Amino acid sequence: MSINWKETKAAIVRHGELKGVKDLLISDLDALVSIDRQKEELLKNTLNFLNDKGANHALLWGEMGCGKSSLVRAVFCKFMDKNLRLIEISKFELVSLYEILEEIRTNLEFKFIIFCDDFSFEASDSAISELKNLLEGSIQAPPKNALFYATSNRKHLVKSQKNHENYIIEKESNRENLSLADRFGLQISFYEMDVSEYMAVVKSYFDGVSVDEATLKREALAYASSKGVRSARSARQFWLSFRSEFEK
């Protein structure tokens, strides 16, 4: 079924077909705390894309739960009324990427972000070579109205296969694996938050609630310790778990 992009802001790929998103999750860019550098980089790239000033495919990589996916959604939401559209595709649906790109290639009224979350592969994945050509490397130019944004917990995207018996084979394999990440001209790193950054996110959730800051800090850090990471996701999960106690 063809998508009416005037009425549909976002779509998701299911079984090789585009399905319009009816209940869109709205993300507020201003609500994302302690990732100002990352926000600035992705905003600049997206504005360049919208203004035809040249933009890069973007890879947001690093610590889990630190706001990579939220940032992509929030940047999209900021500009979706500027004829920016989002197509979410899982790595398992990437075999359909060529058809999706051909479907939107001539729709020059809109710009499209193709978004793949949790973007990583095994070295044996057959989709790697095809994906590299679609991003950059084929004799056919990629659509001027489409940009690929991906998130991953690791920078190099493809798990290396160790071959200690043949160093040359292993070196060539590693070079081949790195060439996928190299297709992304913009690579934005995310790291585990320090205590002050983490607490800034926690306090943003409890804004307007009268709480004892020492108690809040102690409980929030204990919760992050139990999760094994200080992240925006941990801060939100702490708020969901304990807000009723602090709001009494």
Side-chain angles (χ1 to χ4, degrees), residues 14-242:
R14 287 287 183 266
H15 306 296
E17 296 185 0
L18 285 170
K19 307 290 184 182
V21 174
K22 296 179 181 179
D23 190 13
L24 183 62
L25 177 62
I26 301 297
S27 297
D28 182 5
L29 195 62
D30 293 333
L32 301 180
V33 180
S34 297
I35 55 170
D36 290 344
R37 171 184 59 83
Q38 293 90 337
K39 284 198 287 187
E40 182 179 350
E41 291 183 36
L42 197 62
L43 273 172
K44 179 181 179 182
N45 193 64
T46 308
L47 276 171
N48 284 343
F49 176 48
L50 291 173
N51 294 326
D52 297 317
K53 293 185 176 181
N56 282 303
H57 301 299
L59 172 65
L60 290 71
W61 68 274
E63 191 65 57
M64 60 183 180
C66 285
K68 301 184 294 293
S69 303
S70 297
L71 179 55
V72 173
R73 289 196 303 267
V75 168
F76 156 66
C77 288
K78 182 176 178 64
F79 297 118
M80 64 183 179
D81 291 331
K82 306 286 187 183
N83 284 354
L84 181 64
R85 298 294 182 260
L86 183 74
I87 296 175
E88 183 175 345
I89 185 169
S90 77
K91 61 183 180 181
F92 305 106
E93 294 279 359
L94 286 171
V95 292
S96 306
L97 183 58
Y98 177 82
E99 287 78 10
I100 299 300
L101 292 179
E102 287 305 296
E103 185 171 336
I104 65 175
R105 179 184 291 271
T106 58
N107 194 338
L108 300 180
E109 181 180 354
F110 299 96
K111 297 289 181 67
F112 297 87
I113 290 175
I114 313 297
F115 173 46
C116 186
D117 200 15
D118 191 21
F119 188 68
S120 61
F121 301 91
E122 300 293 334
S124 59
D125 259 317
S126 60
I128 295 175
S129 294
E130 182 178 357
L131 181 59
K132 287 192 295 187
N133 287 337
L134 288 172
L135 291 173
E136 183 182 328
S138 171
I139 61 172
Q140 182 181 29
K144 294 181 180 180
N145 61 337
L147 210 57
F148 198 86
Y149 283 3
T151 68
S152 177
N153 291 337
R154 59 175 184 259
K155 182 178 182 181
H156 293 153
L157 300 178
V158 183
K159 291 182 179 178
S160 297
Q161 290 184 336
K162 295 295 183 181
N163 190 330
H164 297 292
E165 296 180 358
N166 193 323
Y167 171 76
I168 295 177
I169 292 177
E170 181 180 343
K171 186 175 181 180
E172 290 297 322
S173 176
N174 288 340
R175 184 181 295 116
E176 178 71 11
N177 294 344
L178 291 174
S179 67
L180 176 57
D182 191 55
R183 284 342 194 241
F184 293 88
L186 176 60
Q187 299 189 11
I188 305 176
S189 57
F190 290 72
Y191 300 97
E192 181 177 11
M193 294 178 170
D194 62 28
V195 172
S196 62
E197 290 172 333
Y198 172 69
M199 287 308 303
V201 179
V202 170
K203 289 177 181 178
S204 72
Y205 281 112
F206 286 90
D207 186 38
V209 179
S210 179
V211 297
D212 179 73
E213 289 202 11
T215 301
L216 181 65
K217 182 176 182 178
R218 182 180 67 249
E219 296 295 334
L221 290 176
Y223 184 84
S225 180
S226 72
K227 295 281 293 182
V229 62
R230 292 185 300 270
S231 68
R233 181 181 296 155
S234 294
R236 184 175 186 276
Q237 291 171 340
F238 169 74
W239 173 68
L240 291 172
S241 298
F242 292 93

